[in-house]
Amino acid sequence: MTFARTDHISNLDTLPRMPAWITSARAEVIEDVAFLSGAALSHLQVVLGCAEVPHALLRDRLALRAAEACVAFSGRPERTAELRDAIHLLRPSDLPGPAGETYLAWRRAVERPVSVKTLARALPHVEASRIASWLDAGPGTPVTSAAMVLEAVWTEAPRADVPAFILADAALGQALGWTHVVPLLAAGLKRADLRKQGDDLRLACHRALLASAVEAVRLSVELTFRTAHLKAVAPKLRAKGAGDAVEIFLTRDAVAPSALPLPDRAARRLCDRLVDLGAVRELTGRDTFRLYGV
C-alpha cells in the first residue's frame, strides 16, 4: 500500500491514536455522522501514512474480518477459526468451500494494487466489464461513491454481497487515493443495512466507516508494535531460512508451519521458538494442525 509519508511520525511511541472526541460522540443526523466518519477516515489516512505500519498484514487481517461479516450475512456458521482453517490448511487437491471462497476472494482483493484485473482475479465469476461498470457507478465524495457502488451491485445482483463490498471498498480507496483495497465496510454494516437505498444507505455507510476506521486504527497500532517486536527478536533465530520465514509472518494473518521455507520439523521448532519469545501467537489452541500469527 502506498501513502504519502508522514514525517512527523518518526517512531512507534508517536503512532497517533484516534481522538476521543471521535469515538465518544453520539450523532444521529447524516450531517453529523458524515462529519465524524470523515474525521475518522482522515485519521486513518494519517496512520496508514506511517511507514512502520505493516500494511500487507493489516490488510490481510481486515480481509478476514470482512470475510467473516460476509459469511455471517449469508447465514453460514463459519467464523474466524473456521475461515483460517479453510484457507491455511487447504491441501492442493481440496476445495475451500463457500466460506473459504469468500475469504479467498477478500485475500486476493487486498494483495495487489487496485485494478480491474486484480478485482477480476478476486471475483472470477464476475466479468471484468461488469466490474469496471460497477466501479464507475459512484462518482462523488468517497463515502457517497462507496454507497452508490453498493446500490448499483445490489440492484443488478441482489445476492452478490461479496462483490458489492469488495468493489465498494475499492471505490472508497480510489476516492481517498489509496493504492490497495482496505476492507472497511462489510465489518461495520448490519444485516438490516444491506438492502437500504439512497440517503438511508449513505447514512449506514457513514456509521459503518466510523466504526471500522476506529477499529482499523486500533489494529494498526497493535500490529505495528507486535511486528516491531518480531523484527527485534529475528536476529536471535539461527535456523536457515528464518529470515524469509519472518517476512511471511510480517504479511499474513495466519501461517501454517508447512507454508514456511524450512523442513517440516524445523518449521515447527521455529514457530514454537517465536511463541516462546512472545513474537507470534498460536492461534488455534490445538496440539496438531496449528496456525501461528503476529
Side-chain angles (χ1 to χ4, degrees):
M1 195 186 306
T2 301
F3 297 92
R5 170 66 179 169
T6 50
D7 293 329
H8 65 287
I9 303 173
S10 58
N11 58 67
L12 299 182
D13 292 333
T14 54
L15 279 172
R17 271 63 169 181
M18 187 72 72
W21 64 266
I22 296 177
T23 58
S24 62
R26 296 293 180 266
E28 297 298 331
V29 299
I30 190 169
E31 292 82 6
D32 292 340
V33 180
F35 173 77
L36 290 174
S37 72
L41 286 171
S42 178
H43 191 81
L44 176 59
Q45 178 94 345
V46 172
V47 172
L48 294 179
C50 181
E52 290 86 351
V53 173
H55 297 107
L57 175 57
L58 174 65
R59 294 196 307 269
D60 203 37
R61 191 148 292 175
L62 290 174
L64 175 61
R65 293 181 71 244
E68 184 176 15
C70 289
V71 168
F73 289 145
S74 72
R76 297 191 62 86
E78 294 90 346
R79 295 298 181 264
T80 294
E82 293 84 3
L83 290 173
R84 282 173 170 155
D85 284 353
I87 295 302
H88 297 292
L89 301 181
L90 192 69
R91 294 175 296 186
S93 59
D94 290 344
L95 296 175
E101 289 284 2
T102 294
Y103 184 22
L104 190 60
W106 276 105
R107 295 192 77 217
R108 287 174 172 169
V110 304
E111 282 175 346
R112 303 177 182 181
V114 176
S115 67
V116 172
K117 183 178 180 180
T118 295
L119 297 171
R121 178 174 175 268
L123 303 167
H125 302 300
V126 182
E127 294 181 1
S129 59
R130 206 174 189 193
I131 289 173
S133 175
W134 280 336
L135 279 177
D136 288 339
T141 61
V143 181
T144 297
S145 297
M148 292 177 70
V149 170
L150 285 176
E151 192 164 350
V153 176
W154 284 332
T155 297
E156 290 189 45
R159 299 180 64 85
D161 291 339
V162 175
F165 284 124
I166 288 177
L167 296 180
D169 277 326
L172 176 76
Q174 286 184 318
L176 290 168
W178 298 347
T179 59
H180 288 70
V181 171
V182 179
L184 295 173
L185 277 163
L189 286 170
K190 301 176 181 178
R191 186 185 297 272
D193 296 327
L194 267 58
R195 300 301 175 252
K196 291 180 178 178
Q197 298 178 330
D199 288 345
D200 290 338
L201 180 58
R202 282 200 301 123
L203 177 58
C205 287
H206 279 297
R207 292 188 188 281
L209 289 168
L210 172 57
S212 290
V214 169
E215 172 60 18
V217 168
R218 185 203 65 77
L219 187 58
S220 297
V221 174
E222 176 188 326
L223 292 178
T224 299
F225 278 87
R226 293 189 65 84
T227 54
H229 180 55
L230 175 56
K231 292 176 183 178
V233 305
K236 300 179 181 180
L237 306 173
R238 298 183 179 181
K240 185 178 181 180
D244 291 336
V246 167
E247 289 301 316
I248 292 174
F249 280 110
L250 292 173
T251 60
R252 298 185 190 178
D253 162 73
V255 179
S258 59
L260 299 177
L262 291 87
D264 184 61
R265 183 174 297 180
R268 292 199 302 271
R269 284 201 303 265
L270 176 65
C271 290
D272 290 340
R273 174 66 170 152
L274 288 170
V275 171
D276 291 340
L277 292 169
V280 303
R281 297 169 294 160
E282 202 287 310
L283 301 173
T284 69
R286 298 186 297 240
D287 293 330
T288 58
F289 300 105
R290 290 180 160 188
L291 297 174
Y292 300 83
V294 173

